[in-house]
């Protein structure tokens, strides 16, 4: 059920046994009354999802599916109380991780804006075609653009005419 609840993008880069590991950590924590294993396993998963820019908030659905599938097997009130506590802590962790992912994305956006400004400054201070092509060839990879084509019309008044590849 957890695998079904996890969107493909949320679990694509995880090991296939992530669900079994999470369930095993949860069961160990309930059975042995040790703490931290379940949340540590979830933290490892969430860190990987953040690293690949996956949808962290979708993991609330995973925890919901986990809870629904597990509730029938919790026999006593103490186990149920501890399980509900773990699920609540998991939801808090997911929420905090969503905030962290947003902060990371904000920093990445700021860095990309800075790179764009630097490239814009380099382009605006270059006055010949060869210099412009050098700037583009050098700077576009910084934006994650591995290559491009630039061509100039031989006669700008006839854009359907011949063009010359310059980069």
């Amino acid at each position: 059920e957890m695998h079904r609840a996890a969107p493909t993008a949320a679990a694509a880069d995880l090991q296939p046994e992530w669900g079994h590991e999470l369930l095993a950590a949860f069961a160990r924590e309930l059975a042995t009354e040790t703490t931290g294993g379940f949340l540590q396993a979830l933290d490892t998963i969430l860190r990987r999802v953040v690293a690949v820019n996956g949808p962290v908030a979708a993991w609330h659905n995973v925890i919901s599916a986990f809870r629904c599938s597990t509730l029938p097997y919790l026999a006593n009130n103490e186990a149920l109380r501890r399980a509900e506590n773990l699920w609540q802590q998991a939801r808090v962790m997911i929420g905090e991780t969503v905030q962290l992912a947003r902060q990371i994305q904000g920093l990445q956006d700021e860095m990309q804006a800075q790179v764009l400004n630097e490239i814009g400054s380099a382009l605006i201070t270059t006055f010949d075609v060869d210099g412009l092509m050098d700037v583009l060839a050098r700077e576009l990879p910084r934006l994650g653009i591995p290559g491009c084509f630039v061509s100039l019309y031989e006669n700008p008044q006839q854009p359907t005419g011949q063009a010359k590849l310059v980069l």
Side-chain angles (χ1 to χ4, degrees), residues 2 22-23 30-31 38 47 63 81-84 94 107-108 114 117 123 125-126 138 146 149 154:
M2 288 188 299
L22 197 59
L23 179 60
L30 286 183
F38 172 69
R47 286 178 186 271
I63 296 301
R81 185 192 63 74
R82 291 181 61 225
E84 290 288 0
I94 292 167
L107 288 172
Q108 289 172 340
Q114 181 179 350
N117 285 336
L123 288 171
T125 58
T126 305
R138 182 181 65 245
F149 294 95
E154 288 184 359

Side-chain angles (χ1 to χ4, degrees), residues 50-53 100-116 142-143:
V50 168
V52 298
N53 292 323
L100 176 65
R102 286 183 183 150
Q103 290 172 348
I104 290 169
Q105 186 61 51
L107 288 172
Q108 289 172 340
D109 292 347
E110 285 179 26
M111 289 171 42
Q112 187 164 20
Q114 181 179 350
V115 169
L116 281 170
R142 290 179 59 198
L143 294 173

Side-chain angles (χ1 to χ4, degrees), residues 42-95:
L42 180 61
D43 183 59
T44 300
I45 291 169
L46 294 177
R47 286 178 186 271
R48 183 68 189 136
V49 173
V50 168
V52 298
N53 292 323
V56 178
W59 286 84
H60 282 290
N61 296 336
V62 174
I63 296 301
S64 293
F66 186 16
R67 181 180 179 275
C68 287
S69 297
T70 309
L71 272 175
Y73 300 101
L74 298 174
N76 64 50
N77 287 338
E78 180 59 24
L80 179 60
R81 185 192 63 74
R82 291 181 61 225
E84 290 288 0
N85 187 38
L86 285 173
W87 292 320
Q88 185 60 31
Q89 289 178 49
R91 291 187 185 286
V92 169
M93 179 183 282
I94 292 167

Side-chain angles (χ1 to χ4, degrees), residues 98-166:
V98 166
Q99 291 299 321
L100 176 65
R102 286 183 183 150
Q103 290 172 348
I104 290 169
Q105 186 61 51
L107 288 172
Q108 289 172 340
D109 292 347
E110 285 179 26
M111 289 171 42
Q112 187 164 20
Q114 181 179 350
V115 169
L116 281 170
N117 285 336
E118 291 170 4
I119 293 171
S121 295
L123 288 171
I124 206 164
T125 58
T126 305
F127 299 104
D128 61 89
V129 172
D130 289 337
L132 289 171
M133 297 309 108
D134 289 342
V135 170
L136 289 175
R138 182 181 65 245
E139 300 295 341
L140 287 180
R142 290 179 59 198
L143 294 173
I145 302 171
C148 71
F149 294 95
V150 177
S151 56
L152 297 175
Y153 295 114
E154 288 184 359
N155 180 356
Q157 304 305 320
Q158 294 181 319
T160 59
Q162 295 290 319
K164 178 175 129 182
L165 183 66
V166 292

